[in-house]
Amino acid sequence: MKASLPLLPLFARPLLGHRDSSHAEICGLEQSPIPLVSPVCLVDPNYAGFQKNSSRLSRHSWTQSSPCSKGEWSEQHICVFTNASFAGGRGISLVTTSRRANYLATTPAFVEPGVVEGINRGLSSAKAEMREIPGKGMGLIATAHIQRGELLMAETPSLMVDYRAFDELSKEQYTSLQAHAVRNLPAPHSALVLSLSTHTTNTSHLTFEERIDLVASTNSFDIEPDDGDDADQHNSFYSLFPAIARFNHDCRPNADYRFSHRTLAQYIHAARDIAPGEELTLSYINPLMSRAERQARLRQWGFECACPLCAVDGDVRREESDRRIESIKKIREELADWDRGRESSRACPQMAELLVSLYRMERLDTIMYEAYMFAALEYNAAGDPWTAVKYARLAVEWGVPMVEEEDEELADVRQLAEDPWGHWSWLKRVK
């Protein structure tokens, strides 16, 4: 739904019955040290020939059960890969290349099953429930006080589609692969995907392929590749999380999501304190966009945003919000520039304080930690270590729920908090 914002430099047929790895040779695969999950023998001779040549496939627990596709200018086939036993039998389907599927099968989510045990439990507490929300359809409402930073939900994906499919295949090809991928999920899981909104009032005329394409385009998130994914460093995954898709949009949400490449799961945390009766919301877009930019982007999901920020009364208040956002972007650019000398740079602690104030006025709770990071660095660069440590601690406190513990920027600001004098930013602006 959204691509991550850089900080410094956002579907109903079960698989065939289980067969153990002794059937691998019948399907033209080598024996596998990791049992294949329900391997399906293929009748398409072209695909079978391609599968025979993909020797690495035999090492991992993927089922391939549909013809592959290849674009006119493509170098690799794009196929459907399904593991019906993933995450305690929930299952997962990919639309990608064999090389990339094999990479994902080496991640802890697959080789250490315990890391995904219990993730898909829906809401992590009894503090929210699903309700019909006028004008929005189904949504999640808080039933008790929720503290900032609380985990609200975690979920592994149903479907992950390599963007290579959209770039290299025809629409007919990639919608066919998406449909196969959803059909191959365990029946309850594929039914869950099919229950999602398409923002289309009448779907009776749609083919299965068309319906899945609408469901995916309405509800999917972009997941960036991790550093170890040398199989395809440049292509994101278009990923569907059915339960998380129930969170409605708000341009200033009270929750945010982060993806873990270790567990292949999306985690939702409260970005601020949430009172009983409030709707739990996420933002589908970059928060640092003007109202016109936000509305144009959100129309791609088939709705006109009427969140409090977009529906605020009076043009003056809307314009002031847009001006604050423009100022935030300019100040961030100034503070992130460490190459200019002291004489040519306007960056200073007072500018960082202004940035913190603008973030608060714009209610940018999901990325508030960024403003604190900028302030910590700026105070340290000006030679004020104690104020720098204060903001560094705030950055860590606000940042941990929003980004992974291993996040590089958070690790950097932790170092500053522990030893401001030994940090790279110490006196950087005055030297």
Side-chain angles (χ1 to χ4, degrees), residues 286-299:
N286 180 336
L288 297 183
M289 300 170 76
S290 68
R291 182 177 184 275
E293 291 171 331
R294 297 195 306 271
Q295 293 285 2
R297 182 73 179 93
L298 290 167
R299 288 189 193 104

Side-chain angles (χ1 to χ4, degrees), residues 11-15 65 180 182-187 190 208:
F11 277 99
R13 184 184 66 197
L15 287 169
S65 53
H180 276 291
V182 174
R183 282 194 177 103
N184 291 346
L185 291 170
S190 60
F208 186 78

Side-chain angles (χ1 to χ4, degrees), residues 148-164:
R148 175 174 59 82
E150 276 195 55
L151 177 67
L152 301 177
M153 185 182 291
E155 186 178 24
T156 54
S158 306
L159 174 69
M160 298 179 72
V161 183
D162 193 326
Y163 263 94
R164 182 193 294 269

Side-chain angles (χ1 to χ4, degrees), residues 72 156 158 160 166-167 212 218 247 298 373 376 414 423:
E72 186 177 354
T156 54
S158 306
M160 298 179 72
F166 305 124
D167 296 337
I212 295 307
T218 302
F247 282 78
L298 290 167
M373 282 185 179
R414 277 196 181 96
H423 192 264

